[in-house]
Amino acid sequence: MLAAHALNYGAVWCGLYPTPELIKMSEEILNLPDRIIPIGLIAVGYKAEDKPARDIYDENRIHYNHW
């Protein structure tokens, strides 16, 4: 995804696991052997628009584990 971004493409992670229907469909479309279980796909293409980066960092959501 970083390489796509560096080349000015858009990319998005599409999670498949743990939805059996999505896993089965992906296995059939990609003709994967039985030993391969897809957990996600990355769609890459031309961006329809440029959006500014979102600042979603919230320090209140950070938790530091202690013993």
Side-chain angles (χ1 to χ4, degrees), residues 16-45:
L16 303 174
Y17 187 84
T19 310
E21 297 83 17
L22 294 175
I23 294 170
K24 182 71 172 160
M25 179 181 61
S26 300
E27 289 172 338
E28 291 172 358
I29 290 171
L30 299 172
N31 196 27
L32 298 176
D34 291 337
R35 67 182 186 280
I36 303 296
I37 301 171
I39 59 170
L41 297 172
I42 297 175
V44 179

